[in-house]
Amino acid sequence: MKVVTGVVGNDIHVVANRLIELSLHARGFEVFNLGVNTYLEEFFDAVVETGADILLISSLNGEAEGWSREIKLLKSKYKNLENLVMVIGGNLVVGSADADTIVPKYKNYGFDLVFHQVDLSTGLDTLEEFLKERNK
Amino acid sequence: MSKMNDKLLIDVGSTYFKLCTPTSIEQHLRDFNKGILDDLKYKCGSTIDSYEKDDVHICSSANGGLSTLIIGLTNSFSLKYAKNIAFNSGINIIETVMYQNIQEYSIPSDTIDVIIIVGGINSNSNIFSSDLYSYLNKLNYSNIVYVGSETQAPALKENIENTVILPNIIDNKLHIIEENLKVYLTNLYQEDIVGKEDIKHLYDITSNQIYSTPYIVNKTLPIIHTKFAVVNPYILIDIGGATTDIHYSKDLVDDNIVTENEYDRLVFKKLGVYKSKESLIFAAQNNEFVYELLTHLKVTENIFQEQSQKATKVLMQLAIFLVLCKMSHYKQAYVNLKLLSINSIVLTGGITKVLSSQEIEDIISFFYKKILNSEHNPVTILDSNYDIWTLGAKGK
Ligand code: B12
């Protein structure tokens, strides 16, 4: 399966991004890594060009929330993204807040899976289970 | 005298032609009642006759290039890459169509020289469908080239007559691969220029290949320092009768597209001072700073109606200003150059015969002050002897 990944906005924290690419690859995904400093339109455009099944965004410095508010509007301009699985993880707020408030908020922005300060392999396990369920 | 210097160089533009011998350089306004060859022979017959066909080298920028319509999938990748390659090949983009919305685009009435279709990495299948074919059926075009996902190529080949299929310009890491499309477009451009009936006749006086002028100029750029005190980075502006060309070093662009060439080129097809005078004036009237500029030059809008040396000067000054605006962050264009980093601006073409360096510098500093709020003042260099063209033409 094809995954487009990258770090959203002006965020330049690159370490997690590299790890994500390696882990996804090791789990058999075909990875298109747009790297740090990636804008929303580039994520969706990359999904269109590659025909990806999954979009996995990370955010470390907390900018994600601002960007995520624009997702529904932007996504509505694309015609063939109904089946795209959308995942986000990292530090999803500036400062601290608990997952119980963060997760529903991001689901409402359009994400299927939300991992706030969740360790990567736990997150990717959950993703694989989600995909299995979905393809049943 | 070295053998190389025994050449006769001829440059045919849309408005003027120039002849350069080892000892002289002359420029003539073209007579549009005559064919180019007849006109050349009439005005410079004895010079031409004194050279062997082998020693005559001709380049031409007459007709200002080709037009293209690009159909692609996204702004960040396929359309962006194809636009980049088309621009660098000197092709004028008249429309870009985002494939998913193809049914909403109006149909251009002009015949399009070449249509470029692009989209998807090679493993992406099921991209294009009958929407594409029905749109293409409504267009008038001379050439069509496909540079998208290879899994789509057989279907396109079958459904679109005479499609040229080239390797994908997007690789599997979503990076650009320029070369194949660039070579194809450059050749098409070249064939167009020399294929024009009128230019073909010029093979009566030369046995060498006729090149396009921008190709020659671009070849000069890496060796420009041998003739001019140019400080990097620089831009070169060639304001002609029908078009204005800008050549610039790649480090002036903030773009993550990695390509091989050191210099890129942009053509503004409708910014010329003779053949496209009307559209130049139109562009000027739509620029909010132009009235201030006219006041600065101590003239009024009435100058546009005049036919005088003064009016030509003002038009050329406007062309410089508009072209800088178009490349700056003030206007969100396809390419925005880091104009504050430029150390030299080289001007070539007919403009060097009409404006003094002072008149040019005046406009450039007006531009920097008004548009970029800066006192930055790059050094202006005038190529008034056509050395740029001569260097490139000799080098080939
Ligand atoms: C190194 C670092 C930097 C370096 C980055 C160097 C580089 N190019 O990578 C520098 C110094 C440049 C930097 C700058 C800044 N940083 Co900093 N930085 C860190 C630091 C110390 C470590 C980050 C790191 O590499 N960790 C190692 C990786 C492997 O872990 P990780 O990034 O946490 O990623 C893991 C998980 O988050 C998760 N994950 C990530 N994405 C996803 C996605 C999914 C789907 C899943 C399941 C999991 C997942 O998996 C990863 C592996 O387990 C953290 C603090 C910390 N200890 O985490 C702060 C931190 C991330 N930075 C922070 C901040 C605020 C900044 C700055 C704004 C500081 C400033 N005021 O200038 C700037 C922002 C720059 C920018 N434009 O983005 C804050 C963010 C706070 C927030 N979100 O509320 C942190 C948390 C520090 C803090 N506690 O305040 N930073």
Side-chain angles (χ1 to χ4, degrees):
Chain A
M1 265 204 237
K2 294 178 184 170
V3 192
V4 167
T5 190
V7 183
V8 68
N10 300 305
D11 199 332
I12 52 149
H13 292 89
V14 73
V15 185
N17 175 256
R18 290 285 154 76
L19 290 176
I20 288 170
E21 177 174 352
L22 293 172
S23 315
L24 284 169
H25 195 76
R27 286 168 188 251
F29 290 94
E30 192 181 340
V31 190
F32 299 92
N33 187 3
L34 305 179
V36 295
N37 229 263
T38 301
Y39 293 93
L40 280 185
E41 191 182 2
E42 296 173 296
F43 279 116
F44 288 122
D45 284 355
V47 167
V48 173
E49 300 279 2
T50 57
D53 313 281
I54 304 155
L55 173 58
L56 188 152
I57 294 179
S58 51
S59 173
L60 289 313
N61 69 6
E63 296 185 37
E65 196 169 355
W67 292 107
S68 298
R69 290 195 193 100
E70 294 175 25
I71 283 184
K72 275 195 176 149
L73 179 67
L74 184 62
K75 199 175 162 197
S76 71
K77 295 186 182 149
Y78 291 77
K79 298 213 165 125
N80 299 309
L81 298 181
E82 304 82 28
N83 296 323
L84 180 67
V85 176
M86 303 238 305
V87 185
I88 191 164
N91 304 315
L92 298 183
V93 286
V94 177
S96 60
D98 56 60
D100 294 347
T101 49
I102 295 172
V103 174
K105 212 194 278 179
Y106 274 84
K107 290 214 161 153
N108 198 30
Y109 293 141
F111 288 97
D112 300 293
L113 297 172
V114 181
F115 303 106
H116 173 61
Q117 295 180 345
V118 173
D119 142 85
L120 184 57
S121 53
T122 314
L124 296 186
D125 287 345
T126 315
L127 169 64
E128 285 185 322
E129 276 158 34
F130 177 87
L131 294 171
K132 241 189 246 154
E133 280 300 307
R134 218 173 82 115
N135 295 337
K136 258 185 193 165
Chain B
M1 200 181 286
S2 81
K3 196 153 186 293
M4 184 165 284
N5 282 339
D6 288 338
K7 290 176 176 177
L8 171 66
L9 310 173
I10 302 174
D11 178 50
V12 181
S14 67
T15 321
Y16 287 96
F17 58 77
K18 304 189 277 277
L19 266 81
C20 172
T21 71
T23 50
S24 69
I25 187 147
E26 45 188 300
Q27 174 174 283
H28 299 274
L29 189 62
R30 277 178 55 186
D31 175 352
F32 293 101
N33 299 316
K34 284 198 176 81
I36 295 175
L37 182 62
D38 288 346
D39 197 16
L40 264 170
K41 281 188 167 162
Y42 179 74
K43 286 169 179 148
C44 317
S46 60
T47 315
I48 294 170
D49 289 342
S50 65
Y51 282 87
E52 297 290 327
K53 277 174 85 169
D54 268 355
D55 295 324
V56 178
H57 293 265
I58 301 179
C59 62
S60 163
S61 60
N63 301 312
L66 298 179
S67 60
T68 186
L69 177 145
I70 304 173
I71 303 171
L73 294 189
T74 69
N75 286 325
S76 314
F77 302 97
S78 43
L79 285 170
K80 175 173 169 182
Y81 294 170
K83 271 168 41 180
N84 185 65
I85 299 171
F87 266 125
N88 292 338
S89 315
I91 310 272
N92 186 41
I93 299 170
I94 58 165
E95 177 83 282
T96 52
V97 172
M98 175 99 76
Y99 177 64
Q100 64 157 8
N101 304 328
I102 197 163
Q103 287 162 333
E104 294 155 29
Y105 287 84
S106 57
I107 307 294
S109 53
D110 296 353
T111 299
I112 296 150
D113 292 311
V114 54
I115 292 187
I116 302 171
I117 305 172
V118 58
I121 59 168
N122 284 341
S123 64
N124 193 356
S125 47
N126 280 331
I127 303 172
F128 298 107
S129 65
S130 57
D131 285 355
L132 175 67
Y133 313 135
S134 41
Y135 181 76
L136 290 174
N137 274 334
K138 292 183 249 167
L139 297 177
N140 282 318
Y141 55 86
S142 316
N143 300 280
I144 184 159
V145 58
Y146 176 69
V147 285
S149 164
E150 67 187 19
T151 47
Q152 294 281 287
L156 267 82
K157 182 115 205 125
E158 200 183 301
N159 286 287
I160 311 167
E161 249 174 81
N162 302 323
T163 334
V164 174
I165 310 271
L166 295 179
N168 199 342
I169 59 171
I170 310 177
D171 73 9
N172 286 337
K173 290 201 136 42
L174 286 168
H175 297 152
I176 184 173
I177 305 175
E178 281 190 304
E179 214 41 40
N180 299 298
L181 181 59
K182 191 167 180 170
V183 168
Y184 170 81
L185 292 175
T186 315
N187 287 342
L188 211 58
Y189 183 24
Q190 178 78 19
E191 280 166 24
D192 178 68
I193 282 184
V194 301
K196 293 262 160 28
E197 266 317 299
D198 219 17
I199 300 275
K200 267 192 196 155
H201 294 307
L202 296 178
Y203 281 112
D204 281 2
I205 55 168
T206 182
S207 49
N208 298 302
Q209 192 185 343
I210 299 173
Y211 287 93
S212 75
T213 310
Y215 172 81
I216 298 293
V217 170
N218 217 283
K219 281 182 59 169
T220 310
L221 300 181
I223 51 167
I224 197 168
H225 305 92
T226 58
K227 261 283 191 299
F228 297 96
V230 171
V231 185
N232 275 338
Y234 69 91
I235 60 172
L236 180 141
I237 306 180
D238 181 352
I239 300 186
T243 55
T244 289
D245 276 35
I246 295 220
H247 300 253
Y248 54 90
S249 31
K250 283 267 176 76
D251 34 352
L252 290 171
V253 194
D254 267 327
D255 209 320
N256 44 14
I257 300 187
V258 183
T259 56
E260 282 157 19
N261 299 340
E262 225 182 315
Y263 297 96
D264 266 356
R265 161 171 175 254
L266 265 185
V267 186
F268 296 102
K269 201 169 179 178
K270 300 234 157 112
L271 283 185
V273 286
Y274 296 103
K275 280 205 146 175
S276 22
K277 185 177 153 186
E278 290 310 318
S279 48
L280 173 72
I281 292 172
F282 180 77
Q285 285 167 332
N286 283 300
N287 183 299
E288 53 185 309
F289 290 96
V290 154
Y291 293 96
E292 243 179 288
L293 177 60
L294 292 177
T295 313
H296 176 77
L297 297 172
K298 302 193 174 60
V299 294
T300 66
E301 213 187 336
N302 296 334
I303 193 87
F304 296 147
Q305 266 72 56
E306 277 179 33
Q307 302 278 346
S308 62
Q309 175 78 0
K310 175 81 187 161
T312 306
K313 279 190 174 204
V314 170
L315 280 183
M316 290 200 162
Q317 286 174 303
L318 274 178
I320 299 177
F321 179 76
L322 290 173
V323 133
L324 289 172
C325 280
K326 277 183 189 276
M327 315 269 340
S328 71
H329 287 271
Y330 160 71
K331 275 260 145 69
Q332 193 55 49
Y334 167 66
V335 187
N336 294 121
L337 295 185
K338 291 183 240 168
L339 292 175
L340 290 174
S341 319
I342 289 177
N343 288 315
S344 316
I345 298 187
V346 185
L347 288 120
T348 183
I351 192 168
T352 59
K353 300 285 178 209
V354 180
L355 295 180
S356 67
S357 15
Q358 214 185 349
E359 285 161 328
I360 293 172
E361 278 157 16
D362 184 39
I363 291 300
I364 292 175
S365 63
F366 178 88
F367 166 81
Y368 273 96
K369 282 205 189 86
K370 276 290 156 208
I371 306 292
L372 302 182
N373 283 319
S374 156
E375 295 293 322
H376 186 66
N377 222 350
V379 178
T380 322
I381 294 155
L382 287 196
D383 172 35
S384 30
N385 234 348
Y386 298 118
D387 285 327
I388 292 194
W389 162 64
T390 322
L391 265 178
K394 276 185 187 158
K396 75 177 176 230

